[in-house]
Amino acid sequence: MFSACPPPIMSTWVPTAYRTHTLGEIQNIGADLIGQEVTVSGFMEANRGKGAICFVDLRDGTGITQIFLKGDNVGDEALDMVQRMTRESTLQFTGTVSEKRPPKAKEGEPVPPPAYEVIATSVNLIARAVAPLPLGVTDTVHVALDTRLDNRFLDLRRSHVNAMFHLRGKILQYGREALIKEGFFETHTPKIVATATEGGTDLFPMMYFDTPAFLNQSPQLYKQLCMSGGLERVFEIGPAFRAEKHDTYRHLNEFISFDIECSWANDEDVMGVLERMIHHMWKSVAEDSESQKHISTINAFRATQDEEAIEVIVPELPFPRLSYCDAIATIQRKGGTIEWGADIDAENSDLLAEDLPQFYFLPRWPMELKPFYIHHVEGEDGSTGRQLSRGFDLNFGRDELTSGGQREHRIDVLIENLKAMALDPEEFEFYVAGFRHGVPPHAGWGLGVERILMKLTGSKNVRETVLFPRDRRRVSP
RNA sequence: GCCCGCUUGGUGUAGAGGUUAUCAUGCAGGAUUGUCAUUCCUGCGACCCGAGUUCAAUUCUCGGAGUGGGCGCCA
């Protein structure tokens, strides 16, 4: 059986109708609770003992505590009920906190730190779990991702999965902290829209009353209108929808996009915002004891699967920058096949990742590979005479995490760009209108939350980092 | 959209044209135990669906469904 304790509790848990203390508290401050009556609730991870006594490993969101039951204390009927109870059943116990008897120490082995248990005086069955479980919460046998996602509610009870989602919350928290500190504030743009963001066909159509509409693929155009509105520094963490029929470890049809838009700034300015934010995320995970405990929990599980431990390497600032032109030259030098003007495919990304296994920027893409709203690089047309842009990507090894850039704020150039990319400015009137009265020069980016989390937690598939992923085949649960 | 794989107890797997279908985990019962990765004993539980080839198909062929991976595209 595999089990790992949740991290130490830093926050204050107020007693509720169903418990006076959390199980984490009993482990953390057990010495102060000895002799005190407590009521605790949780899932029964395991029970031992078929005779006159019984031990229950009870788990809640904060920790695991052993409950000790004796027929003399709880009555034979209750003892029998607990002994016959199925794994993962929901139970409530009232009893007295006591120091656990230490395990028989083997010769030469260090004595473990004191631990605490609850000597039960009464038991309340809240829900019996149906057996067998569709997947074992504490089993070390491998479980296929599809089985896990079909039974996600149980999969989430597994300690390393639980830890992953806590880290997801932490990463978003650290991201918000970093941006707020730099004067950004959180906002929201509509997810139901009338026009394609970038003119593509990869949108989910829907009916908005009697009008055809779409689920938005990106907050891009709306966050730019925020700049026109003088909001200057905004960020948004929200869903984006793409109807592309891809089926890879790094794509979802609904994902969370972490976006910023910043006025009076160019591409290099917002690359700075991005690398400082990521640095803060990684540094915080490395320094926060709760986050570290989550990483340890994940690593403890990985050890049972013969997988290498994940390590949070705080990246140095500034991140490496490899311009598009230099990237092409590097790929060609390494024997890859690519022409200037082509997108960098997965195989060629692997070549770049040989030297840049962690975070690195890829700035200055050819204009023709970037969307209409990206700004040209003035007076610079690249080594081949073709127009460079102020668009950039942020990669982690082979994978793209972010794309961003300085935006085109001049309405005449914007309209030219739309036409050059075979888009009708009329259809983008709601957007173009925002430029008629002047827009500050501005820049921004969009970061894939699932992708960065995949890199932090060593997940092999973005689906692992989403509670209920939406992919080509899965729309339920 | 293209290419390649896979489908065996609840879960994860091994395997072969005729086997008592392997192992782990789990589940049930029992013995022991203030246990703590308990240990020991006994038992339970499976070949995706359809058609074909064959004396015989879970195994081979075809089709379907489901699923995993790679690519394109992207975050």
Side-chain angles (χ1 to χ4, degrees), chain A residues 164-320:
Chain A
M164 215 288 308
F165 282 98
H166 276 96
L167 280 170
R168 184 180 165 118
K170 292 277 188 189
I171 280 294
L172 294 177
Q173 177 194 330
Y174 300 145
R176 286 187 169 101
E177 284 170 7
L179 291 177
I180 289 167
K181 198 173 156 220
E182 297 204 11
F184 289 83
F185 67 97
E186 190 161 6
T187 189
H188 296 283
T189 60
K191 300 307 154 204
I192 301 173
V193 297
T195 318
T197 301
E198 296 171 24
T201 54
D202 47 359
L203 295 171
F204 287 107
M206 57 168 286
M207 285 307 293
Y208 188 70
F209 302 110
D210 297 327
T211 308
F214 303 95
L215 293 176
N216 207 176
Q217 67 166 165
S218 159
Q220 182 60 38
L221 304 185
Y222 286 93
K223 62 182 184 171
Q224 285 191 258
L225 292 179
C226 293
M227 301 301 100
S228 180
L231 298 185
E232 287 213 2
R233 293 191 167 209
V234 300
F235 73 95
E236 171 169 11
I237 304 174
F241 305 91
R242 305 211 175 155
E244 293 152 6
K245 290 185 177 174
H246 37 44
D247 196 3
T248 80
Y249 68 91
R250 60 191 183 279
H251 287 94
L252 294 163
N253 294 297
E254 176 182 353
F255 66 95
I256 301 298
S257 185
F258 195 142
D259 276 82
I260 75 157
E261 204 63 30
C262 182
S263 287
W264 319 111
N266 69 5
D267 48 347
E268 185 57 41
D269 293 322
V270 293
M271 283 159 69
V273 174
L274 179 56
E275 63 190 347
R276 288 190 295 275
M277 182 183 88
I278 288 175
H279 180 263
H280 179 72
M281 287 172 167
W282 255 240
K283 189 163 180 280
S284 300
V285 168
E287 290 176 354
D288 172 55
S289 65
E290 277 186 40
S291 298
Q292 275 307 111
K293 188 71 203 283
H294 293 310
I295 296 283
S296 304
T297 299
I298 290 170
N299 280 337
F301 180 78
R302 290 174 73 90
T304 70
Q305 306 296 301
D306 290 323
E307 289 175 341
E308 263 182 51
I310 53 169
E311 196 184 350
V312 180
I313 302 165
V314 181
E316 280 181 30
L317 290 174
F319 292 175

Side-chain angles (χ1 to χ4, degrees), chain A residues 171 274-275 277-283 311-322 352-353 355-362 393-402 447-448 451-456:
Chain A
I171 280 294
L274 179 56
E275 63 190 347
M277 182 183 88
I278 288 175
H279 180 263
H280 179 72
M281 287 172 167
W282 255 240
K283 189 163 180 280
E311 196 184 350
V312 180
I313 302 165
V314 181
E316 280 181 30
L317 290 174
F319 292 175
R321 282 147 169 80
L322 179 70
L352 298 178
D355 302 327
L356 298 160
Q358 300 256 320
F359 294 107
Y360 69 97
F361 282 110
L362 275 162
D393 284 355
L394 176 76
N395 277 28
F396 186 104
R398 84 188 307 254
D399 291 313
E400 182 182 336
L401 304 185
T402 304
L447 168 70
R451 287 193 180 176
I452 194 165
L453 210 65
M454 185 166 69
K455 295 304 170 190
L456 180 73

Side-chain angles (χ1 to χ4, degrees), chain A residues 103-112:
Chain A
K104 292 164 198 155
K106 287 172 189 153
E107 288 295 321
E109 282 189 15
V111 183

Side-chain angles (χ1 to χ4, degrees), chain A residues 434-464:
Chain A
F435 289 71
R436 289 210 176 96
H437 314 286
V439 177
H442 59 288
W445 42 254
L447 168 70
V449 168
E450 289 79 15
R451 287 193 180 176
I452 194 165
L453 210 65
M454 185 166 69
K455 295 304 170 190
L456 180 73
T457 61
S459 302
K460 293 195 190 83
N461 194 310
V462 276
R463 284 161 238 219
E464 293 188 44

